[in-house]
Amino acid sequence: MTSPEEAGFRVDPPFVAGERALLDAWLDFHRGTLLWKCDGLSPQDLVRHSAEPSALALLGLVRHMAEVERGWFRNCLAGEDIAPLYSRDDSEDADFDELDPDRATEDFATYRAEVERCREIAVGYDLDAVGTHRRGPVSLRWIYLHMIEEYARHNGHADLLRECIDGATGD
């Protein structure tokens, strides 16, 4: 596995910058890390539950993060009334559970499109902007911090899943 920087997936965040620049850089760093962990694998490997008994698979993480991006930036912050990408009333975990190797390319395109749309939305708001969540108001600053935490947690999962598939490791 090539380095994430060589593969063009991520750029190290700066050590010194303003708050917004740091939040954007760290979120993009984690977005790139998830893609890097999936790089070079076959569709069959992407849907493989490689760390049994866990039912997690790399493609499930990608689909889940597309869903999370959409929920926080589009639904919550921007107030868009759009349906989830994968989850349904009868299957809340469809993002993780209903994986099809034949749809891997489409799922990655969906993820990239959601990330791009969420970036476009975020630049239109300052960090103190408030969105509506079912538990109450939430600031864009909180959304950024939550997204970085969510990616960091799932990138840890992705690191283990990738190592179990082909032994590849890296931060």
Side-chain angles (χ1 to χ4, degrees):
M1 186 162 69
T2 59
S3 78
E5 293 77 15
E6 291 170 338
F9 289 112
R10 67 181 196 194
V11 174
D12 286 334
F15 286 109
V16 177
E19 180 182 18
R20 181 62 175 262
L22 285 169
L23 291 171
D24 279 326
W26 274 106
L27 182 53
D28 279 340
F29 177 85
H30 282 291
R31 288 167 169 156
T33 298
L34 180 59
L35 292 174
W36 174 55
K37 293 297 174 178
C38 299
D39 185 48
L41 294 175
S42 70
Q44 291 74 25
D45 281 336
L46 290 168
V47 301
R48 190 170 146 200
H49 301 204
S50 61
E52 292 183 1
S54 172
L56 286 178
L58 287 166
L59 190 59
L61 293 174
V62 170
R63 289 164 48 105
H64 175 68
M65 291 312 299
E67 199 85 272
V68 170
E69 293 266 1
R70 175 179 273 227
W72 284 110
F73 287 103
R74 297 183 70 182
N75 288 111
C76 179
L77 180 64
E80 294 181 17
D81 186 20
I82 52 175
L85 291 164
Y86 306 105
S87 301
R88 303 178 311 276
D89 289 340
D90 67 330
S91 182
E92 287 185 17
D93 291 328
D95 49 349
F96 286 118
D97 297 339
E98 297 176 8
L99 305 178
D100 179 351
D102 293 334
R103 291 189 41 159
T105 300
E106 179 182 338
D107 289 338
F108 276 96
T110 297
Y111 170 80
R112 286 184 175 97
E114 281 302 314
V115 166
E116 188 56 36
R117 179 68 183 122
C118 292
R119 280 188 187 118
E120 291 168 0
I121 288 169
V123 299
Y125 294 88
D126 67 45
L127 292 175
D128 294 320
V130 175
T132 304
H133 186 266
R134 69 182 179 276
R135 290 181 276 171
V138 59
S139 72
L140 176 57
R141 181 179 284 104
W142 188 94
I143 292 170
Y144 267 105
L145 292 170
H146 174 70
M147 291 297 296
I148 291 166
E149 175 275 326
E150 180 105 1
Y151 270 103
R153 182 167 23 95
H154 288 312
N155 282 340
H157 297 135
D159 193 42
L160 177 61
L161 293 169
R162 180 65 189 250
E163 184 176 5
C164 290
I165 290 169
D166 66 2
T169 61
D171 61 355

